[in-house]
Amino acid sequence: TGIALAYKGRAPVIVLAGDVPRELIDRDGNQAFDLVNLFKPITYMAQHVQTTERVQEAIHNAFRTALSGKRGPVMLNIPRDLLDFKTIDYQARQPASYRATDGRVQGDREAIARAAALLANAERPLLIGGGGVIDSDAAGNAVKLAEHLDMALIPSYGHSDSLPNSHPLFIGMPGWRGSPEAHDAIHHADVVLALGSRLSQSTTAWNYSILNPAAKIIQVDIDSAEVGRNFAVEVGIVGDAKVVAQQLLDALRAGGKKSHPAWLAEIAQHKEKRKARLAAERTLGDATTRTLEDDWTVVSRYGGWASHWEHTVAITPEGPRVLTALDDISVGLNAVQKGAQDYLIKRQIQPLGREGRCVIEDLQDRLEPFNVDLGIDIHLEHHGDRAAAGPSEIGRASCRERV
């Protein structure tokens, strides 16, 4: 499940899987499965390593594939006999020696010019920031572009941290558990810039109930296969989201700034409407209704609960970070353990599953080896028999963890 989610979320994960000795492959031995074919549908590369001497080469290939262009998981299957009692001469190499680490893919100049002309003539421009904005660290460029054009800012579903939630042009996240105000803004926009966004089903429902069929779409993605895949586009640009946003900004600045007071007023109305709605919906307690500090990490057992951030907290590209798992909380905690050196964990949000039982791991013991200072206030959101219930329907129960 974790690798499938990494595939869906474009997360670069390297899986190093052990296997039975080569002489036992295809003999249905103990714990033996066709791992490569099991992983192929949910990775960008899944392959056997054939000899001990090629392990280093295979690892370089894995990192190159996982971190190039559209990022995602890869899997290497290494039979046991390639590792047992084996040594190789190994000389560490810098990443730049086996994969491209410098330079970003620029958008085609003619496509940039056509997109800039569309944006310059728009009356109700809107920017949807997707996972590509996060991968390329393009939030700052996206905001500058939006400010120059008076563009509404909308993160794609599941990527609320692609754009600063506190910005005056930010409206909210679309999607089935998102903001209806965001849906209204998208439907009223005349030009939509999908920056690093696939315009996925969760964001757009893959129909024109959210997007307006009359709107002109400019789609930017590092993967050419995604451009125009879900909706017809007026201009498609293959390139890095950060670079393309800067290219568009440079082209637009040459023509001067154009103001859209009526559109700005509409954006402000959407923001106020959303603010009033959220004030009425907040039932999860002070621990989550406030804006989390930048060095907080939130761990959720229930993966779908991440979409409730629309109703509970404001997220910025700098922090906080949200780690979710689809089944047992230990999956999320294992992720925290591995990243404990990078995070000062102050909060643990633990929604309950359908069975409604209170599952609290001994976090202090688990994380003690990493010298992580825990000041944990655990709030358990009891879904009962309604695992998909919205925040306003969830009854609250609280457990206080010892510290």
Side-chain angles (χ1 to χ4, degrees):
T1 299
I3 302 305
L5 289 175
Y7 182 80
K8 285 288 188 180
R10 298 185 177 186
V13 177
I14 309 294
V15 179
L16 300 178
D19 205 343
V20 297
R22 287 172 293 177
E23 65 177 350
L24 300 181
I25 289 178
D26 296 330
R27 296 186 64 182
D28 196 23
N30 285 340
Q31 300 182 351
F33 293 92
D34 186 357
L35 295 178
V36 169
N37 283 321
L38 280 174
F39 275 86
K40 276 184 176 179
I42 54 173
T43 58
Y44 290 171
M45 180 185 79
Q47 65 179 31
H48 289 287
V49 180
Q50 305 296 337
T51 67
T52 302
E53 291 72 24
R54 295 188 65 186
V55 169
Q56 182 179 3
E57 171 195 337
I59 290 176
H60 289 168
N61 288 341
F63 275 91
R64 184 186 307 111
T65 302
L67 295 170
S68 298
K70 184 171 71 171
R71 298 180 175 185
V74 301
M75 179 268 194
L76 295 178
N77 191 54
I78 308 177
R80 179 173 178 173
D81 58 309
L82 298 188
L83 302 177
D84 286 350
F85 311 109
K86 301 285 187 178
T87 60
I88 58 174
D89 293 329
Y90 173 75
Q91 185 174 2
R93 292 166 53 184
Q94 293 296 319
S97 69
Y98 58 85
R99 62 181 179 87
T101 58
D102 299 320
R104 295 171 180 264
V105 179
Q106 295 190 354
D108 178 78
R109 284 181 294 179
E110 292 185 3
I112 292 291
R114 287 188 287 119
L118 272 179
L119 290 168
N121 292 318
E123 294 297 328
R124 298 180 301 280
L126 181 142
L127 185 151
I128 297 177
V133 172
I134 299 173
D135 290 345
S136 64
D137 192 25
N141 299 64
V143 167
K144 290 178 182 177
L145 182 60
E147 290 174 343
H148 183 79
L149 291 170
D150 295 340
M151 299 178 78
L153 287 171
I154 304 285
S156 63
Y157 183 85
H159 293 109
S160 287
D161 53 346
S162 65
L163 299 168
N165 294 195
S166 59
H167 195 278
L169 295 171
F170 182 91
I171 295 178
M173 181 183 72
W176 65 299
R177 287 178 178 168
S179 164
E181 297 81 18
H183 294 174
D184 291 343
I186 293 172
H187 198 74
H188 197 205
D190 59 351
V191 175
V192 174
L193 172 61
L195 186 63
S197 170
R198 295 174 293 162
L199 297 175
S200 66
Q201 180 184 11
S202 296
T203 299
T204 65
W206 281 349
N207 58 44
Y208 289 105
S209 63
I210 298 176
L211 275 168
N212 191 321
K216 294 179 171 61
I217 298 174
I218 302 166
Q219 188 174 12
V220 179
D221 202 282
I222 194 69
D223 183 3
S224 61
E226 296 292 351
V227 177
R229 179 182 182 184
N230 295 318
F231 290 92
V233 299
E234 194 75 15
V235 181
I237 302 175
V238 177
D240 176 87
K242 185 173 186 176
V243 171
V244 172
Q246 187 61 51
Q247 287 179 284
L248 290 171
L249 185 58
D250 292 341
L252 288 161
R253 279 174 173 168
K257 179 175 173 55
K258 182 180 178 182
S259 297
H260 304 87
W263 182 231
L264 285 175
E266 188 171 335
I267 292 173
Q269 289 174 0
H270 285 309
K271 288 180 69 68
E272 287 303 312
K273 184 178 178 181
R274 175 173 176 261
K275 183 179 179 180
R277 175 178 57 80
L278 293 181
E281 290 180 354
R282 293 186 192 275
T283 61
L284 303 185
D286 292 341
T288 54
T289 56
R290 58 179 291 180
T291 301
L292 298 180
E293 297 176 9
D294 290 349
D295 60 355
W296 288 11
T297 295
V298 177
V299 183
S300 168
R301 173 183 171 220
Y302 170 44
W305 199 71
S307 61
H308 291 327
W309 299 138
E310 156 66 16
H311 305 271
T312 56
V313 300
I315 302 172
T316 68
E318 295 79 20
R321 294 302 179 207
V322 179
L323 300 175
T324 64
L326 287 184
D327 47 6
D328 194 89
I329 185 176
S330 62
V331 178
L333 294 180
N334 289 335
V336 173
Q337 288 178 10
K338 292 177 175 60
Q341 296 90 339
D342 300 322
Y343 295 115
L344 175 62
I345 302 171
K346 290 186 176 178
R347 295 281 173 182
Q348 157 74 14
I349 309 299
Q350 161 60 12
L352 294 178
R354 180 180 294 274
E355 72 287 350
R357 60 189 176 90
C358 179
V359 181
I360 303 178
E361 300 286 348
D362 191 342
L363 304 181
Q364 191 69 57
D365 290 344
R366 273 179 170 268
L367 299 182
E368 187 174 0
F370 298 95
N371 296 317
V372 177
D373 180 26
L374 294 177
I376 303 173
D377 230 341
I378 298 184
H379 285 259
L380 301 174
E381 300 310 326
H382 186 174
H383 289 248
D385 292 329
R386 295 176 296 171
S392 60
E393 300 173 297
I394 298 174
R396 188 176 72 181
S398 297
C399 293
R400 180 76 175 179
E401 173 72 342
R402 65 172 178 81
V403 295

